[in-house]
mmCIF file of all heavy atoms in Angstrom:
data_model
loop_
_atom_site.group_PDB
_atom_site.id
_atom_site.type_symbol
_atom_site.label_atom_id
_atom_site.label_comp_id
_atom_site.label_asym_id
_atom_site.label_seq_id
_atom_site.Cartn_x
_atom_site.Cartn_y
_atom_site.Cartn_z
ATOM 1 N N GLY A 192 24.732 5.899 9.780
ATOM 2 C CA GLY A 192 25.585 5.715 10.868
ATOM 3 C C GLY A 192 25.628 6.845 11.945
ATOM 4 O O GLY A 192 25.966 6.606 13.062
ATOM 5 N N ASN A 193 25.386 8.022 11.445
ATOM 6 C CA ASN A 193 25.403 9.218 12.356
ATOM 7 C C ASN A 193 24.128 9.525 13.027
ATOM 8 O O ASN A 193 24.009 10.442 13.871
ATOM 9 C CB ASN A 193 25.974 10.417 11.629
ATOM 10 C CG ASN A 193 25.010 10.850 10.523
ATOM 11 O OD1 ASN A 193 24.122 10.142 10.184
ATOM 12 N ND2 ASN A 193 25.287 12.042 9.917
ATOM 13 N N LYS A 194 23.016 8.834 12.670
ATOM 14 C CA LYS A 194 21.716 9.184 13.206
ATOM 15 C C LYS A 194 21.574 8.529 14.622
ATOM 16 O O LYS A 194 22.393 7.835 15.118
ATOM 17 C CB LYS A 194 20.630 8.623 12.278
ATOM 18 C CG LYS A 194 20.680 9.267 10.855
ATOM 19 C CD LYS A 194 20.449 10.766 10.933
ATOM 20 C CE LYS A 194 20.188 11.528 9.636
ATOM 21 N NZ LYS A 194 20.891 11.286 8.395
ATOM 22 N N ILE A 195 20.413 8.826 15.304
ATOM 23 C CA ILE A 195 20.254 8.485 16.679
ATOM 24 C C ILE A 195 20.295 6.985 16.935
ATOM 25 O O ILE A 195 20.781 6.487 17.937
ATOM 26 C CB ILE A 195 18.995 9.148 17.225
ATOM 27 C CG1 ILE A 195 18.996 9.133 18.774
ATOM 28 C CG2 ILE A 195 17.722 8.579 16.783
ATOM 29 C CD1 ILE A 195 18.104 10.189 19.429
ATOM 30 N N ILE A 196 19.666 6.191 16.000
ATOM 31 C CA ILE A 196 19.975 4.757 15.977
ATOM 32 C C ILE A 196 20.326 4.379 14.559
ATOM 33 O O ILE A 196 19.977 5.098 13.626
ATOM 34 C CB ILE A 196 18.743 3.910 16.408
ATOM 35 C CG1 ILE A 196 17.540 4.101 15.557
ATOM 36 C CG2 ILE A 196 18.446 4.171 17.875
ATOM 37 C CD1 ILE A 196 16.420 3.071 15.825
ATOM 38 N N THR A 197 21.039 3.288 14.393
ATOM 39 C CA THR A 197 21.595 3.052 13.078
ATOM 40 C C THR A 197 21.570 1.525 12.705
ATOM 41 O O THR A 197 21.564 0.670 13.609
ATOM 42 C CB THR A 197 23.113 3.506 12.918
ATOM 43 O OG1 THR A 197 23.546 3.255 11.659
ATOM 44 C CG2 THR A 197 24.033 2.833 13.967
ATOM 45 N N THR A 198 21.476 1.274 11.345
ATOM 46 C CA THR A 198 21.575 -0.069 10.913
ATOM 47 C C THR A 198 22.801 -0.115 9.976
ATOM 48 O O THR A 198 22.866 -1.013 9.109
ATOM 49 C CB THR A 198 20.309 -0.474 10.073
ATOM 50 O OG1 THR A 198 20.189 0.464 8.986
ATOM 51 C CG2 THR A 198 19.048 -0.444 10.844
ATOM 52 N N SER A 199 23.764 0.745 10.166
ATOM 53 C CA SER A 199 24.915 1.117 9.298
ATOM 54 C C SER A 199 24.454 1.950 8.174
ATOM 55 O O SER A 199 25.103 2.953 7.845
ATOM 56 C CB SER A 199 25.669 -0.173 8.893
ATOM 57 O OG SER A 199 25.119 -0.817 7.852
ATOM 58 N N GLY A 200 23.389 1.521 7.469
ATOM 59 C CA GLY A 200 22.740 2.363 6.484
ATOM 60 C C GLY A 200 21.382 1.774 6.334
ATOM 61 O O GLY A 200 21.193 0.604 6.399
ATOM 62 N N GLY A 201 20.430 2.658 6.098
ATOM 63 C CA GLY A 201 19.061 2.223 5.973
ATOM 64 C C GLY A 201 18.077 3.354 6.206
ATOM 65 O O GLY A 201 18.437 4.401 6.512
ATOM 66 N N GLY A 202 16.754 2.949 5.824
ATOM 67 C CA GLY A 202 15.773 3.965 6.048
ATOM 68 C C GLY A 202 14.399 3.353 6.177
ATOM 69 O O GLY A 202 14.264 2.093 6.054
ATOM 70 N N MET A 203 13.404 4.121 6.500
ATOM 71 C CA MET A 203 12.041 3.601 6.743
ATOM 72 C C MET A 203 11.047 4.636 6.219
ATOM 73 O O MET A 203 11.240 5.839 6.403
ATOM 74 C CB MET A 203 11.770 3.343 8.242
ATOM 75 C CG MET A 203 10.698 2.508 8.548
ATOM 76 S SD MET A 203 10.851 0.753 8.168
ATOM 77 C CE MET A 203 11.609 0.109 9.659
ATOM 78 N N LEU A 204 10.076 4.172 5.506
ATOM 79 C CA LEU A 204 8.999 5.028 5.016
ATOM 80 C C LEU A 204 7.721 4.556 5.769
ATOM 81 O O LEU A 204 7.393 3.387 5.822
ATOM 82 C CB LEU A 204 8.736 4.879 3.556
ATOM 83 C CG LEU A 204 7.781 5.863 2.944
ATOM 84 C CD1 LEU A 204 8.317 7.311 2.985
ATOM 85 C CD2 LEU A 204 7.503 5.541 1.439
ATOM 86 N N VAL A 205 7.106 5.519 6.455
ATOM 87 C CA VAL A 205 5.854 5.168 7.278
ATOM 88 C C VAL A 205 4.667 5.819 6.606
ATOM 89 O O VAL A 205 4.747 6.939 6.040
ATOM 90 C CB VAL A 205 5.968 5.560 8.707
ATOM 91 C CG1 VAL A 205 7.039 4.759 9.412
ATOM 92 C CG2 VAL A 205 6.120 7.026 8.938
ATOM 93 N N THR A 206 3.551 5.090 6.677
ATOM 94 C CA THR A 206 2.284 5.655 6.079
ATOM 95 C C THR A 206 1.105 4.885 6.778
ATOM 96 O O THR A 206 1.269 3.755 7.259
ATOM 97 C CB THR A 206 2.204 5.462 4.640
ATOM 98 O OG1 THR A 206 0.918 5.893 4.120
ATOM 99 C CG2 THR A 206 2.481 4.010 4.184
ATOM 100 N N ASP A 207 -0.003 5.428 6.738
ATOM 101 C CA ASP A 207 -1.251 4.810 7.181
ATOM 102 C C ASP A 207 -1.950 4.081 6.020
ATOM 103 O O ASP A 207 -2.956 3.464 6.280
ATOM 104 C CB ASP A 207 -2.154 5.766 7.905
ATOM 105 C CG ASP A 207 -1.704 6.049 9.311
ATOM 106 O OD1 ASP A 207 -0.806 5.309 9.801
ATOM 107 O OD2 ASP A 207 -2.193 7.019 9.923
ATOM 108 N N ASN A 208 -1.433 4.199 4.858
ATOM 109 C CA ASN A 208 -2.061 3.653 3.661
ATOM 110 C C ASN A 208 -1.472 2.315 3.243
ATOM 111 O O ASN A 208 -0.346 2.262 2.825
ATOM 112 C CB ASN A 208 -1.862 4.726 2.513
ATOM 113 C CG ASN A 208 -2.660 4.388 1.243
ATOM 114 O OD1 ASN A 208 -2.703 3.185 0.866
ATOM 115 N ND2 ASN A 208 -3.144 5.338 0.570
ATOM 116 N N GLU A 209 -2.251 1.297 3.438
ATOM 117 C CA GLU A 209 -1.680 -0.028 3.228
ATOM 118 C C GLU A 209 -1.356 -0.324 1.750
ATOM 119 O O GLU A 209 -0.276 -0.898 1.402
ATOM 120 C CB GLU A 209 -2.728 -1.090 3.584
ATOM 121 C CG GLU A 209 -2.265 -2.494 3.565
ATOM 122 C CD GLU A 209 -3.176 -3.596 4.010
ATOM 123 O OE1 GLU A 209 -4.362 -3.222 4.388
ATOM 124 O OE2 GLU A 209 -2.828 -4.749 4.030
ATOM 125 N N ASP A 210 -2.133 0.228 0.829
ATOM 126 C CA ASP A 210 -1.796 0.027 -0.591
ATOM 127 C C ASP A 210 -0.479 0.727 -0.937
ATOM 128 O O ASP A 210 0.324 0.202 -1.757
ATOM 129 C CB ASP A 210 -2.888 0.662 -1.494
ATOM 130 C CG ASP A 210 -4.204 -0.086 -1.374
ATOM 131 O OD1 ASP A 210 -4.203 -1.296 -0.971
ATOM 132 O OD2 ASP A 210 -5.232 0.483 -1.630
ATOM 133 N N TRP A 211 -0.232 1.894 -0.289
ATOM 134 C CA TRP A 211 1.011 2.543 -0.556
ATOM 135 C C TRP A 211 2.190 1.737 -0.059
ATOM 136 O O TRP A 211 3.217 1.695 -0.717
ATOM 137 C CB TRP A 211 0.963 3.934 0.139
ATOM 138 C CG TRP A 211 0.220 5.006 -0.658
ATOM 139 C CD1 TRP A 211 -0.491 4.770 -1.781
ATOM 140 C CD2 TRP A 211 0.161 6.381 -0.354
ATOM 141 N NE1 TRP A 211 -1.006 5.971 -2.234
ATOM 142 C CE2 TRP A 211 -0.597 6.936 -1.358
ATOM 143 C CE3 TRP A 211 0.673 7.246 0.675
ATOM 144 C CZ2 TRP A 211 -0.921 8.340 -1.383
ATOM 145 C CZ3 TRP A 211 0.429 8.547 0.588
ATOM 146 C CH2 TRP A 211 -0.374 9.109 -0.375
ATOM 147 N N ALA A 212 2.020 1.176 1.118
ATOM 148 C CA ALA A 212 3.067 0.425 1.708
ATOM 149 C C ALA A 212 3.408 -0.776 0.794
ATOM 150 O O ALA A 212 4.585 -1.113 0.532
ATOM 151 C CB ALA A 212 2.796 -0.115 3.108
ATOM 152 N N LYS A 213 2.402 -1.436 0.300
ATOM 153 C CA LYS A 213 2.582 -2.593 -0.689
ATOM 154 C C LYS A 213 3.341 -2.062 -1.952
ATOM 155 O O LYS A 213 4.214 -2.744 -2.448
ATOM 156 C CB LYS A 213 1.238 -3.149 -0.984
ATOM 157 C CG LYS A 213 0.688 -4.052 0.064
ATOM 158 C CD LYS A 213 -0.546 -4.769 -0.442
ATOM 159 C CE LYS A 213 -1.195 -5.600 0.685
ATOM 160 N NZ LYS A 213 -2.616 -5.750 0.519
ATOM 161 N N LYS A 214 2.892 -0.968 -2.402
ATOM 162 C CA LYS A 214 3.442 -0.386 -3.611
ATOM 163 C C LYS A 214 4.936 -0.141 -3.494
ATOM 164 O O LYS A 214 5.729 -0.419 -4.370
ATOM 165 C CB LYS A 214 2.706 0.923 -4.042
ATOM 166 C CG LYS A 214 3.015 1.438 -5.413
ATOM 167 C CD LYS A 214 2.180 0.703 -6.473
ATOM 168 C CE LYS A 214 2.840 0.786 -7.783
ATOM 169 N NZ LYS A 214 1.893 0.429 -8.914
ATOM 170 N N VAL A 215 5.319 0.420 -2.339
ATOM 171 C CA VAL A 215 6.719 0.830 -2.072
ATOM 172 C C VAL A 215 7.557 -0.512 -1.978
ATOM 173 O O VAL A 215 8.620 -0.547 -2.532
ATOM 174 C CB VAL A 215 6.804 1.685 -0.791
ATOM 175 C CG1 VAL A 215 8.255 1.763 -0.409
ATOM 176 C CG2 VAL A 215 6.341 3.034 -1.114
ATOM 177 N N ARG A 216 6.976 -1.553 -1.331
ATOM 178 C CA ARG A 216 7.751 -2.795 -1.265
ATOM 179 C C ARG A 216 7.982 -3.384 -2.684
ATOM 180 O O ARG A 216 8.974 -3.922 -3.005
ATOM 181 C CB ARG A 216 7.001 -3.839 -0.373
ATOM 182 C CG ARG A 216 7.019 -3.470 1.065
ATOM 183 C CD ARG A 216 6.457 -4.571 1.981
ATOM 184 N NE ARG A 216 6.385 -4.021 3.328
ATOM 185 C CZ ARG A 216 5.225 -3.676 3.921
ATOM 186 N NH1 ARG A 216 4.110 -3.839 3.318
ATOM 187 N NH2 ARG A 216 5.281 -3.136 5.136
ATOM 188 N N PHE A 217 6.965 -3.168 -3.505
ATOM 189 C CA PHE A 217 7.005 -3.635 -4.910
ATOM 190 C C PHE A 217 8.067 -2.905 -5.689
ATOM 191 O O PHE A 217 8.998 -3.496 -6.306
ATOM 192 C CB PHE A 217 5.622 -3.522 -5.524
ATOM 193 C CG PHE A 217 5.539 -3.618 -7.021
ATOM 194 C CD1 PHE A 217 5.562 -4.900 -7.617
ATOM 195 C CD2 PHE A 217 5.354 -2.531 -7.829
ATOM 196 C CE1 PHE A 217 5.469 -5.105 -8.989
ATOM 197 C CE2 PHE A 217 5.275 -2.670 -9.217
ATOM 198 C CZ PHE A 217 5.298 -3.930 -9.779
ATOM 199 N N TRP A 218 8.018 -1.573 -5.647
ATOM 200 C CA TRP A 218 9.027 -0.804 -6.356
ATOM 201 C C TRP A 218 10.433 -1.062 -5.910
ATOM 202 O O TRP A 218 11.363 -1.123 -6.665
ATOM 203 C CB TRP A 218 8.697 0.691 -6.221
ATOM 204 C CG TRP A 218 7.650 1.269 -7.061
ATOM 205 C CD1 TRP A 218 7.221 0.818 -8.309
ATOM 206 C CD2 TRP A 218 6.791 2.436 -6.684
ATOM 207 N NE1 TRP A 218 6.188 1.573 -8.714
ATOM 208 C CE2 TRP A 218 5.871 2.551 -7.804
ATOM 209 C CE3 TRP A 218 6.675 3.274 -5.641
ATOM 210 C CZ2 TRP A 218 4.958 3.612 -7.858
ATOM 211 C CZ3 TRP A 218 5.781 4.212 -5.650
ATOM 212 C CH2 TRP A 218 4.885 4.426 -6.749
ATOM 213 N N ALA A 219 10.569 -1.286 -4.569
ATOM 214 C CA ALA A 219 11.870 -1.363 -3.908
ATOM 215 C C ALA A 219 12.545 -2.761 -4.205
ATOM 216 O O ALA A 219 13.717 -2.904 -3.879
ATOM 217 C CB ALA A 219 11.747 -1.147 -2.348
ATOM 218 N N THR A 220 11.736 -3.675 -4.661
ATOM 219 C CA THR A 220 12.334 -4.975 -5.006
ATOM 220 C C THR A 220 12.219 -5.223 -6.524
ATOM 221 O O THR A 220 11.787 -6.230 -7.006
ATOM 222 C CB THR A 220 11.606 -6.167 -4.281
ATOM 223 O OG1 THR A 220 10.221 -5.868 -4.244
ATOM 224 C CG2 THR A 220 12.105 -6.200 -2.800
ATOM 225 N N GLN A 221 12.606 -4.261 -7.247
ATOM 226 C CA GLN A 221 12.752 -4.298 -8.769
ATOM 227 C C GLN A 221 11.364 -4.427 -9.515
ATOM 228 O O GLN A 221 11.361 -4.817 -10.636
ATOM 229 C CB GLN A 221 13.673 -5.521 -9.169
ATOM 230 C CG GLN A 221 15.034 -5.438 -8.514
ATOM 231 C CD GLN A 221 15.966 -4.393 -9.015
ATOM 232 O OE1 GLN A 221 15.519 -3.388 -9.621
ATOM 233 N NE2 GLN A 221 17.284 -4.622 -8.909
ATOM 234 N N ALA A 222 10.309 -4.097 -8.829
ATOM 235 C CA ALA A 222 8.990 -4.095 -9.480
ATOM 236 C C ALA A 222 8.780 -5.362 -10.267
ATOM 237 O O ALA A 222 8.470 -5.384 -11.470
ATOM 238 C CB ALA A 222 8.828 -2.848 -10.387
ATOM 239 N N ARG A 223 8.767 -6.468 -9.538
ATOM 240 C CA ARG A 223 8.481 -7.726 -10.129
ATOM 241 C C ARG A 223 7.033 -8.087 -10.122
ATOM 242 O O ARG A 223 6.430 -8.243 -9.060
ATOM 243 C CB ARG A 223 9.346 -8.839 -9.390
ATOM 244 C CG ARG A 223 10.830 -8.731 -9.605
ATOM 245 C CD ARG A 223 11.490 -10.025 -9.383
ATOM 246 N NE ARG A 223 11.562 -10.250 -7.921
ATOM 247 C CZ ARG A 223 12.626 -10.331 -7.193
ATOM 248 N NH1 ARG A 223 13.795 -10.314 -7.804
ATOM 249 N NH2 ARG A 223 12.563 -10.544 -5.963
ATOM 250 N N ASP A 224 6.473 -8.191 -11.315
ATOM 251 C CA ASP A 224 5.065 -8.555 -11.371
ATOM 252 C C ASP A 224 4.888 -10.049 -10.823
ATOM 253 O O ASP A 224 5.781 -10.764 -10.954
ATOM 254 C CB ASP A 224 4.514 -8.506 -12.797
ATOM 255 C CG ASP A 224 4.517 -7.079 -13.380
ATOM 256 O OD1 ASP A 224 4.531 -6.155 -12.525
ATOM 257 O OD2 ASP A 224 4.532 -6.915 -14.626
ATOM 258 N N PRO A 225 3.724 -10.314 -10.321
ATOM 259 C CA PRO A 225 3.480 -11.717 -9.919
ATOM 260 C C PRO A 225 3.395 -12.634 -11.066
ATOM 261 O O PRO A 225 2.394 -12.691 -11.777
ATOM 262 C CB PRO A 225 2.177 -11.652 -9.116
ATOM 263 C CG PRO A 225 1.576 -10.281 -9.441
ATOM 264 C CD PRO A 225 2.563 -9.445 -10.018
ATOM 265 N N ALA A 226 4.527 -13.357 -11.292
ATOM 266 C CA ALA A 226 4.569 -14.236 -12.420
ATOM 267 C C ALA A 226 5.708 -15.208 -12.148
ATOM 268 O O ALA A 226 6.656 -14.800 -11.455
ATOM 269 C CB ALA A 226 4.773 -13.557 -13.781
#
Side-chain angles (χ1 to χ4, degrees):
N193 62 351
K194 297 297 191 320
I195 195 159
I196 61 169
T197 181
T198 60
S199 79
M203 196 73 86
L204 189 67
V205 296
T206 177
D207 282 347
N208 185 323
E209 186 177 3
D210 292 338
W211 279 7
K213 283 186 183 150
K214 190 82 202 196
V215 167
R216 290 191 188 104
F217 168 75
W218 281 330
T220 43
Q221 307 284 24
R223 288 200 288 242
D224 293 341

